[in-house]
Amino acid sequence: MYAVIRVRGQPDVNKDIEYTMSLLGLNKVNHCVIVPEDDVMRGMLRKAKDYITWGEISETTFANMIRSRGRMKGDLTINDAYLESHTDFKTFEEMAKGIINGECKISNIIKPVFRLHPPIKGYEGNKRSYKNGGALGYRGENINNLISRML
């Protein structure tokens, strides 16, 4: 699974790119979504690469993100009691593993969009690609470091 974070937000974004980001659920800066690794998603990510960053999320980072930033319908925080009574999972780690392995959909349990803080010490530069020392585009496993700075 990929974690996708919107880094830039501008009023004059190309309509096709804005539509792609709305399909992903990234309507505001510092919002994060979890998407599957397939060809359709890769095409959408490549199209919006100048405004987002993405990479493979680990189970522990995903569990921490659900614990601290996960929201239920009605914008209520998710807790252990809700997890045990409304899902088949007993811990956040089990739920993260189940979602990453494709056993269940994230939208069936919690809201699919995570509203994160701006990263501690800021982005590396939001106009260059990650390969060139910036914050945009594909970053692989290093997305986990960025998410931990944003929790």
Side-chain angles (χ1 to χ4, degrees):
M1 299 289 271
Y2 286 134
V4 185
I5 301 171
R6 184 166 179 170
V7 176
R8 296 177 69 190
Q10 289 182 326
D12 59 347
V13 176
N14 184 336
K15 289 181 183 179
D16 293 337
I17 295 172
E18 187 66 37
Y19 179 68
T20 302
M21 286 192 289
S22 69
L23 288 176
L24 287 169
L26 298 171
N27 297 321
K28 294 187 179 184
V29 176
N30 298 324
H31 280 194
C32 178
V33 294
I34 307 299
V35 297
E37 295 182 37
D38 59 8
D39 292 337
V40 174
M41 286 299 162
R42 281 189 203 99
M44 292 173 77
L45 297 175
R46 277 191 224 111
K47 184 163 193 121
K49 69 179 173 35
D50 294 331
Y51 295 90
I52 61 174
T53 186
W54 73 93
E56 293 87 6
I57 190 165
S58 68
E59 291 176 8
T60 56
T61 303
F62 189 34
N64 290 336
M65 191 165 64
I66 294 169
R67 182 179 289 113
S68 63
R69 291 282 160 193
R71 298 285 183 256
M72 300 181 289
K73 307 258 189 244
D75 206 33
L76 302 171
T77 58
I78 189 168
N79 55 25
D80 293 325
Y82 175 82
L83 199 63
E84 289 183 20
S85 64
H86 289 85
T87 66
D88 298 333
F89 305 109
K90 294 181 177 155
T91 64
F92 289 105
E93 288 77 15
E94 286 180 15
M95 186 166 100
K97 186 175 183 178
I99 292 171
I100 288 176
N101 292 336
E103 296 171 11
C104 67
K105 289 180 70 174
I106 191 169
S107 59
N108 294 343
I109 303 170
I110 57 175
K111 287 184 175 182
V113 177
F114 296 91
R115 297 178 291 179
L116 303 176
H117 285 289
I120 295 172
K121 298 184 180 177
Y123 290 109
E124 295 85 6
N126 65 354
K127 293 185 180 179
R128 291 177 295 177
S129 69
Y130 184 72
K131 292 178 183 177
N132 295 327
L136 301 172
Y138 177 73
R139 58 173 65 215
E141 295 290 326
N142 292 331
I143 194 77
N144 298 307
N145 299 333
L146 178 64
I147 291 173
S148 66
R149 290 183 8 221
M150 296 178 84
L151 294 178

